[in-house]
Amino acid sequence: MQRNARKAYVPGLVALLVAVAAGCTGAGDGGGSPTDPKPGGSTPVASPGKYRTLREPCGSVSRATLQDLLPTTPGLAEEQLEKIYRGTSAVTYDTDRRVGCSWKADSPDASHQLVIDVERVVSYDPAVSDDDRAQEVYSRKEEAAELPAPGGTGSPSPEGSSPGGASPSAGSTASGATTQTVSPSATTTPAAGSTGPSGTPGAPDATTEGLEPRVLDGLGDAAFLDDVVARSGAAARNRTVSVVFRTSNVIVTVQYTEQPARPTDVPDSAQLQEKARGLARRLADQMNE
């Protein structure tokens, strides 16, 4: 009896082992499944952007460039100049994702302010690359700027708008003064006694061809320029030129503002645009070093 029982047990054990082995083999030889670990069964992941970190912006602008962009009152002590040209870093929570810096200087003729903002865009969608996501962010900025159509005459920006498309409360500022902004491509009438870029009394500088807000070529992967004149009350004006460009997954914004000391003066658009574009080009070159 014991002999027969042992004979019956052994074939049963062999059959069980064969069944287990067959099951394991079947799982590996099948046509694949949603959990198939083979490379051919995985979803392609979009490539990451070129930039993983950001350069500190306050130290990215040379002293010579800052002296050109931010003229000061003659005779200032070196300690005062050092404080002005050192700049103020923007408060951010992740300096690998966003950094910024601002400078401000006063001279007898005007007050100038320079602001640099740098954003590194990261896509959390494995099917969308960092570059493509950055292009989406850049496109929204360009759309918000409401650039005039190429070859068009342009039109005034909505009242209360600001460079880069930000939209503060209509007709108000932080100081409570009313504001009105116009695109430099729109026809404006200067205050009495003011002169245009040619020096002709009463000649508006806002209609100069080629200085209207526009898309820029040869700067990063995509770029545009916005130019806005703001009027507070009946006279006091300032002009802000913004240059925004994208390089791979990083978006850089340069804002350069001039507030004349005399309320009848209108800042020269050509000069501000040239300086803002020059700085943007230098920043783009630094990113490719």
Side-chain angles (χ1 to χ4, degrees), residues 18-238:
V18 171
V20 171
C24 294
T25 303
D29 294 339
S33 65
T35 58
D36 191 347
K38 294 184 299 182
S42 60
T43 302
V45 178
S47 60
K50 176 180 178 181
Y51 301 99
R52 302 296 183 90
T53 59
L54 295 174
R55 182 191 292 260
E56 194 282 311
C58 289
S60 298
V61 186
S62 69
R63 174 74 175 258
T65 298
L66 290 172
Q67 288 175 331
D68 180 48
L69 294 171
L70 305 168
T72 60
T73 301
L76 285 182
E78 179 59 30
E79 293 79 5
Q80 293 174 291
L81 294 174
E82 179 65 27
K83 182 178 180 180
I84 291 172
Y85 297 135
R86 186 186 307 124
T88 302
S89 297
V91 177
T92 62
Y93 299 99
D94 186 350
T95 54
D96 284 335
R97 290 292 303 276
R98 192 160 200 159
V99 294
C101 191
S102 61
W103 298 261
K104 188 176 186 299
D106 298 320
S107 71
D109 297 325
S111 173
H112 293 83
Q113 183 174 23
L114 174 66
V115 179
I116 296 176
D117 177 79
V118 186
E119 178 182 4
R120 183 174 70 92
V121 180
V122 177
S123 172
Y124 293 101
D125 184 346
V128 180
S129 70
D130 291 347
D131 284 22
D132 288 343
R133 186 68 74 200
Q135 180 60 34
E136 293 176 5
V137 175
Y138 167 84
S139 296
R140 287 196 294 268
K141 291 178 178 290
E142 183 179 314
E143 181 179 357
E146 299 182 341
L147 307 182
T153 57
S155 59
S157 301
E159 183 174 350
S161 65
S162 61
S167 300
S169 299
S172 65
T173 65
S175 62
T178 58
T179 61
Q180 184 178 27
T181 60
V182 295
S183 164
S185 58
T187 300
T188 60
T189 303
S194 63
T195 62
S198 62
T200 304
D205 68 343
T207 56
T208 305
E209 184 178 358
L211 295 179
E212 64 277 356
R214 61 199 180 277
V215 171
L216 300 176
D217 296 325
L219 179 59
D221 297 316
F224 72 87
L225 179 148
D226 197 11
D227 189 332
V228 176
V229 175
R231 183 173 63 216
S232 178
R237 301 184 180 201
N238 64 64

